[in-house]
Amino acid sequence: RINLLPNVNYYLDPNGLGIDSIQKLGVFMPLPDEKIQFGFTNSTLWLTFKIYNGTEISLEKILDIGMKDLDYVDLFEFREGKLISAKISGDMRSVSVSNMDNFFPAFRIKLPPQSTSTYYVKIKSASSLYCTLTIWDEIAYLRFLALQDKLLWLFIGIQMVRLLFNIILSRFIREKAFNYYTLVIGLLC
């Protein structure tokens, strides 16, 4: 797992420019404090970074954006100044158009041997612009997703036990307010 944030430059685009215009502008700046936290904004966030594969073999990795509440996330890959691929993701797009079968914006990327790839990430969202950029091996990423699923199911299980406990307790405590409290817990589960 490699955190890319120390090597990322950004630009907040108020005009919603396309990839060709963004490349020509050359207005990218280093991230303040190596964090992507821009709050609520109508601007489009552009991120750029380079990845060098110095090995003699082609590598396949996962680029994880790390925040599932981003509406539109586009990834553009350039090598030697040429557009190699454009991929899309985000929670306002169908999972079927994404190249990963999960709810998080993540992209499979291929790194040819002895080459440098330049990536541009375009993020537009009605929610807060907060995310991370992490490169994963596929097995490690799948284990990470499995761990998140386990923690989610643990949380759901705890809430269900809490609901069951309050239903049993409400049979002994004949207070109307406690019955409403139990109903609210049931609705939240």
Side-chain angles (χ1 to χ4, degrees):
R1 170 174 147 166
I2 301 169
N3 178 14
L4 293 176
L5 292 182
N7 304 313
V8 172
N9 292 322
Y10 81 99
Y11 173 63
L12 275 176
D13 172 20
N15 302 317
L17 299 173
I19 183 65
D20 296 331
S21 302
I22 286 296
Q23 277 189 302
K24 292 175 187 172
L25 277 179
V27 293
F28 287 91
M29 301 176 290
L31 285 171
D33 302 325
E34 296 179 3
K35 294 178 184 175
I36 303 174
Q37 295 178 339
F38 292 100
F40 292 93
T41 179
N42 290 328
S43 297
T44 301
L45 175 63
W46 284 90
L47 306 169
T48 186
F49 54 92
K50 293 182 180 188
I51 299 177
Y52 174 68
N53 178 9
T55 67
E56 297 297 327
I57 58 171
S58 181
L59 300 175
E60 292 191 20
K61 301 289 183 181
I62 305 290
L63 173 63
D64 179 28
I65 306 300
M67 183 69 177
K68 72 174 186 164
D69 295 334
L70 299 172
D71 296 340
Y72 302 98
V73 181
D74 302 339
L75 177 71
F76 302 93
E77 179 185 4
F78 287 85
R79 204 169 300 121
E80 298 176 6
K82 295 179 184 174
L83 179 64
I84 302 300
S85 68
K87 300 173 183 177
I88 61 174
S89 187
D91 69 354
M92 295 301 285
R93 293 184 169 136
S94 171
V95 175
S96 65
V97 300
S98 175
N99 70 335
M100 296 290 293
D101 293 331
N102 63 35
F103 294 107
F104 296 97
F107 301 94
R108 281 189 169 84
I109 58 174
K110 293 182 181 180
L111 305 169
Q114 300 296 322
S115 69
T116 300
S117 298
T118 303
Y119 293 91
Y120 292 86
V121 179
K122 178 182 179 182
I123 301 173
K124 180 75 175 163
S125 187
S127 64
S128 177
L129 286 180
Y130 166 80
C131 61
T132 62
L133 287 175
T134 309
I135 293 286
W136 294 83
D137 288 324
E138 188 165 1
I139 299 298
Y141 184 69
L142 293 175
R143 286 182 182 151
F144 172 72
L145 291 179
L147 175 63
Q148 284 189 330
D149 286 346
K150 289 175 187 174
L151 292 175
L152 176 64
W153 282 109
L154 176 66
F155 175 77
I156 291 170
I158 289 170
Q159 295 306 316
M160 296 303 282
V161 168
R162 181 176 160 211
L163 173 63
L164 181 63
F165 175 75
N166 281 302
I167 288 172
I168 293 169
L169 199 57
S170 70
R171 303 288 291 157
F172 296 104
I173 300 175
R174 302 279 181 188
E175 289 290 326
K176 200 175 202 182
F178 191 79
N179 290 339
Y180 287 130
Y181 171 73
T182 304
L183 178 64
V184 168
I185 289 175
L187 293 174
L188 294 177
C189 286

